[in-house]
Amino acid sequence: MAYWLWSLSPDVFPAAVRAGTLALRQQGRRRLAEVRAGDRIIVYLSGHQAFAGLFEAVGVPFEDATVLAPGRHLPHRLRVRPVAVLPEELWIARDRAAADLRVLDEYPDVPPEARFRRVVQQVLHPLPVLDGKVLEFVVQARLGADPDALMAAVEAVRDARRQADEQAEQMEPGVVLPTPEVAEPAVGYVAPTGFDRATAMASLVDAVAARGFRFEPWEIAAYVTALRTKPFVLLAGVTGVGKSRLPSLVADATGGVATVLPVRPDWTDPSETMGYTDLSGRFRPGAVLRAASDAAEHTDRFRTLVLDEMNLGRPEHYLAEVLSRIESRAPAPGGYESSPLLSESLAAADAQWQAVRLPPSLGIVGTVNVDESAHAFSRKVLDRAFVLELAARDLGDWGPGPADAVAPLPWPVEAWSPRAVRLGESLDLTPTERTGMERVIAAVAEADALLAPSGMGVGYRARDEAALFVLHASETPAAFRAASGDSVDPADLALLMKLVPRIDGARGPARDATYALLGWAVDGRPMDARAARVSVDAWAADGRPDVLGSRFPRTAARLARIAEGALADGVASFWA
């Protein structure tokens, strides 16, 4: 009989106990093949740094891709029999039981305080018999086992210690056990192997055009880059410009999956998105929670959930958990994932839903209509999203797409992972990338100085996301172009998507901020109302083009449209 230490996530433990099955994803699978029926397994909960139970293997390892715990892909499994399962209040803190374990001596080159962490990083680690006997005794004593069982455990510990001492005496002096190799799972951003992003983006643009849909190349590139930077994108525009269609086209061309979820006006709380507990006490998961669980379980393709006509309800009400948890994303295998979406406690039969997170393989896109039937977006929603406005630029352009388009290239799920989610993370930047990011960071700071007096200033989140958008866009520069072939500045788009949508107000400070920002975007010099009127009149006389000035031309043109409304009726609003 051998002893093993199995490191398990706390949110998986309840489901593992109920199923009588321990499971792991990748790390530890080679060791799993060495486990035999009758072996004893001590479960350690890494998230709580505590020992939680003793189990006995009752079969051989096997593969099973069905869901054990929602939000977790754990295909490598082992049937076990619980010997002693501790309730949470009796879990044994690591520091009370791990300090003197002999398994730590297997890592002489690791600092003493980090040796146990090295052990649990392997997920499944063999234990010396003495360690196994000691931990078995501690668990049974903690549970309050009967006296005969405790005395037997004490005798077993003594026998194991005597055997270990005899083996140590027989070992040749100077012999040092080799340190086992540890292949820690990659977390955070890992560049996809063999994936040419620039070529793939060009293929994607051609594939969408071949379907007969009319999107500017920069619109497709901006959508993909924004979704990679932050998996929460709002597509705005008048009805019929392709807001719901674009995510499906991109998913089809990249080998992903897009699912449309129509939003209803009666969504006033998270019951339809996150779920609710019915009158019988059973939890009924909502559509967004199910989508997150499905994406985490099936990581072979990137999945996009489209919330159609998102502002028929109030997202800050029905999507509150997502808006909060999306800001807690942290490095995980395959990219970045959030903390668990649900915060309330569920019954034991439904506890697995409490483990569901926003996985790296899921993006959320909302389509937005601006009319009298819809709600205005709160600052909380806008600050967390990229807002991409689509438009029908030439209604006279129709007919099938080019027949000679190259077949689209599939995108690995890792291609959608950002290089970072905030600027505080370590970034390996080229001089060109650093220059591009510093330029947009400086622009955000200048714009904030003009917006702040009106209460529409920006924070670190918007700054970081604008800079990371520009960083990601630098990997596909050729795609940021108009249909005419003119290049489109990603920094201009970052400002247009992250700053301009927050402009909304009918008071003087909001109007003054709009005029000042307009002049700043045109040539770097803020305008007052009089100068703004001259500039807007000239822009309108020129046919209201999509570009204005030379500094940030698309941002300036959109600000001219907002300023035109402010000058006409006193309301400065992106959404008017």
Side-chain angles (χ1 to χ4, degrees):
M1 179 179 68
Y3 283 89
W4 301 85
L5 183 68
W6 194 309
S7 179
L8 198 64
S9 175
D11 50 28
V12 175
F13 185 58
V17 172
R18 286 193 301 272
T21 302
L22 298 180
L24 50 84
R25 185 174 182 179
Q26 292 181 338
Q27 186 75 358
R29 65 187 186 279
R30 293 182 180 177
R31 289 290 194 183
L32 182 59
E34 302 174 17
V35 180
R36 298 292 179 264
D39 286 358
R40 292 292 177 99
I41 300 168
I42 292 90
V43 168
Y44 176 78
L45 303 182
S46 55
H48 289 284
Q49 299 184 352
F51 298 95
L54 173 67
F55 297 81
E56 179 181 332
V58 296
V60 296
F62 63 97
E63 304 291 315
D64 187 351
T66 58
V67 176
L68 177 65
R72 299 292 183 183
H73 180 58
L74 304 167
H76 307 286
R77 302 184 180 182
L78 179 70
R79 296 289 186 190
V80 295
R81 177 183 68 84
V83 177
V85 179
L86 300 177
E88 184 173 353
E89 63 271 15
L90 295 182
W91 287 349
I92 303 165
R94 179 195 65 187
D95 295 341
R96 297 181 59 185
D100 297 324
L101 295 179
R102 299 199 176 190
V103 69
L104 306 182
D105 297 337
E106 297 179 15
Y107 299 91
D109 298 331
V110 177
E113 66 274 8
R115 290 178 183 176
F116 188 75
R117 184 167 64 249
R118 179 63 63 87
V119 171
V120 300
Q121 281 174 342
Q122 297 191 53
V123 178
L124 183 60
H125 196 294
L127 291 174
V129 174
L130 177 58
D131 288 356
K133 294 292 185 181
V134 168
L135 290 174
E136 182 176 7
F137 168 75
V138 170
V139 170
Q140 290 184 340
R142 183 68 167 165
L143 190 60
D146 65 84
D148 291 341
L150 287 179
M151 289 304 300
V154 170
E155 290 301 323
V157 170
R158 289 173 177 170
D159 290 343
R161 179 173 286 119
R162 184 167 50 252
Q163 294 174 9
D165 291 340
E166 291 174 355
Q167 292 175 357
E169 291 176 359
Q170 296 172 5
M171 185 175 294
E172 296 181 14
V175 174
V176 178
L177 295 176
T179 301
E181 294 184 3
V182 179
E184 298 184 27
V187 297
Y189 175 71
V190 178
T193 303
F195 179 70
D196 186 332
R197 191 178 298 274
T199 300
M201 184 72 83
S203 172
L204 170 60
V205 171
D206 291 343
V208 173
R211 297 279 297 273
F213 290 89
R214 301 297 191 263
F215 292 101
E216 296 267 344
W218 70 263
E219 291 177 325
I220 299 172
Y223 165 75
V224 170
T225 305
L227 193 59
R228 178 191 177 195
T229 303
K230 180 74 168 286
F232 184 38
V233 175
L234 303 182
L235 298 178
V238 300
T239 300
V241 295
K243 301 187 297 296
S244 302
R245 192 63 175 166
L246 179 58
S248 297
L249 290 169
V250 170
D252 290 345
T254 57
V257 178
T259 303
V260 177
L261 175 64
V263 173
R264 298 200 309 266
D266 60 350
W267 286 12
T268 57
D269 59 46
S271 59
E272 294 291 342
T273 55
M274 292 294 104
Y276 63 95
T277 301
D278 63 20
L279 295 177
S280 66
R282 186 66 187 270
F283 180 70
R284 304 296 180 181
V288 176
L289 191 67
R290 292 197 304 270
S293 175
D294 185 60
E297 186 66 25
H298 303 93
T299 58
D300 55 331
R301 296 196 287 177
F302 187 79
R303 285 165 161 74
T304 306
L305 178 63
V306 182
L307 300 175
D308 198 26
E309 299 194 58
M310 186 179 189
N311 57 333
L312 285 181
R314 294 189 181 277
E316 61 271 24
H317 294 168
Y318 68 78
L319 212 61
E321 287 83 356
V322 172
L323 295 176
S324 175
R325 302 301 190 272
I326 202 169
E327 300 307 321
S328 70
R329 288 177 301 146
Y336 292 80
E337 70 177 10
S338 75
S339 56
L341 289 170
L342 296 180
S343 56
E344 67 269 25
S345 297
L346 300 177
D350 301 311
Q352 65 268 28
W353 290 104
Q354 294 180 239
V356 179
R357 307 160 184 257
L358 293 174
S361 54
L362 177 67
I364 298 176
V365 177
T367 68
V368 182
N369 287 326
V370 181
D371 56 40
E372 65 280 357
S373 67
H375 296 283
F377 282 114
S378 69
R379 192 70 53 79
K380 176 180 180 180
V381 175
L382 295 176
D383 195 54
R384 285 163 168 76
F386 278 93
V387 180
L388 176 59
E389 191 173 27
L390 304 178
R393 289 175 171 77
D394 185 0
L395 295 178
D397 181 14
W398 62 281
D404 57 348
V406 179
L409 300 175
W411 289 41
V413 173
E414 295 78 11
W416 294 92
S417 176
R419 290 171 62 173
V421 297
R422 56 188 61 86
L423 296 185
E425 296 181 49
S426 177
L427 284 169
D428 184 15
L429 301 175
T430 67
T432 300
E433 290 172 340
R434 182 175 294 278
T435 299
M437 293 179 68
E438 289 176 345
R439 173 174 174 254
V440 73
I441 290 172
V444 170
E446 293 173 9
D448 176 61
L450 300 175
L451 290 169
S454 64
M456 298 185 294
V458 301
Y460 295 115
R461 180 190 297 125
R463 179 204 65 182
D464 289 5
E465 291 171 3
L468 291 170
F469 176 89
V470 170
L471 173 63
H472 294 145
S474 68
E475 299 175 16
T476 56
F480 284 87
R481 57 179 173 82
S484 62
D486 295 335
S487 63
V488 176
D489 181 6
D492 188 7
L493 297 178
L495 297 172
L496 179 59
M497 291 189 290
K498 290 301 298 181
L499 302 189
V500 179
R502 68 182 54 236
I503 297 178
D504 187 21
R507 298 189 304 120
R511 295 191 295 270
D512 292 342
T514 301
Y515 305 147
L517 202 61
L518 170 59
W520 171 85
V522 170
D523 58 14
R525 294 176 295 179
M527 293 179 179
D528 58 16
R530 180 175 299 180
R533 184 177 295 279
V534 172
S535 181
V536 168
D537 288 347
W539 168 76
D542 196 29
R544 296 182 173 81
D546 294 332
V547 295
L548 174 63
S550 58
R551 194 182 188 205
F552 299 114
R554 292 184 181 274
T555 298
R558 189 63 179 88
L559 286 167
R561 181 145 49 111
I562 297 173
E564 186 178 35
L567 291 166
D569 56 26
V571 178
S573 176
F574 176 89
W575 304 98

Short mmCIF file of all heavy atoms in Angstrom, two decimals, residues 129 237 262 266 287 316 457 559 572:
data_model
loop_
_atom_site.label_atom_id
_atom_site.label_comp_id
_atom_site.label_asym_id
_atom_site.label_seq_id
_atom_site.Cartn_x
_atom_site.Cartn_y
_atom_site.Cartn_z
N VAL A 129 6.12 6.40 3.42
CA VAL A 129 5.15 5.69 4.25
C VAL A 129 4.98 6.37 5.61
O VAL A 129 3.87 6.50 6.12
CB VAL A 129 5.59 4.22 4.43
CG1 VAL A 129 4.67 3.51 5.43
CG2 VAL A 129 5.56 3.50 3.10
N GLY A 237 -25.15 50.94 -32.84
CA GLY A 237 -25.48 51.35 -34.20
C GLY A 237 -26.97 51.22 -34.46
O GLY A 237 -27.70 50.61 -33.68
N PRO A 262 -31.43 36.53 -26.58
CA PRO A 262 -32.22 37.77 -26.60
C PRO A 262 -32.51 38.26 -25.18
O PRO A 262 -32.94 37.49 -24.33
CB PRO A 262 -33.51 37.36 -27.32
CG PRO A 262 -33.19 36.07 -28.01
CD PRO A 262 -32.17 35.39 -27.15
N ASP A 266 -38.16 42.50 -19.07
CA ASP A 266 -38.51 42.15 -17.69
C ASP A 266 -37.33 41.55 -16.92
O ASP A 266 -37.52 41.04 -15.81
CB ASP A 266 -39.70 41.19 -17.67
CG ASP A 266 -39.41 39.87 -18.40
OD1 ASP A 266 -38.37 39.79 -19.08
OD2 ASP A 266 -40.24 38.94 -18.29
N ALA A 287 -28.84 31.45 -18.01
CA ALA A 287 -28.23 31.26 -19.32
C ALA A 287 -26.76 31.64 -19.35
O ALA A 287 -25.94 30.95 -19.97
CB ALA A 287 -29.00 32.08 -20.37
N GLU A 316 -26.70 46.59 -15.46
CA GLU A 316 -26.14 46.68 -14.12
C GLU A 316 -26.98 45.92 -13.10
O GLU A 316 -26.52 45.65 -11.98
CB GLU A 316 -25.98 48.13 -13.69
CG GLU A 316 -27.26 48.94 -13.62
CD GLU A 316 -27.61 49.60 -14.94
OE1 GLU A 316 -27.16 49.12 -16.00
OE2 GLU A 316 -28.34 50.61 -14.90
N GLY A 457 -14.57 61.92 -16.00
CA GLY A 457 -13.19 61.50 -16.10
C GLY A 457 -13.03 59.99 -16.14
O GLY A 457 -13.96 59.23 -15.88
N LEU A 559 -16.96 63.20 -32.09
CA LEU A 559 -17.19 64.32 -31.17
C LEU A 559 -17.89 65.48 -31.86
O LEU A 559 -18.69 66.20 -31.23
CB LEU A 559 -15.86 64.78 -30.58
CG LEU A 559 -15.24 63.85 -29.52
CD1 LEU A 559 -13.79 64.24 -29.26
CD2 LEU A 559 -16.05 63.89 -28.23
N ALA A 572 -25.34 67.02 -24.72
CA ALA A 572 -24.12 66.42 -25.27
C ALA A 572 -24.13 64.94 -24.89
O ALA A 572 -23.91 64.59 -23.73
CB ALA A 572 -22.88 67.10 -24.70
#
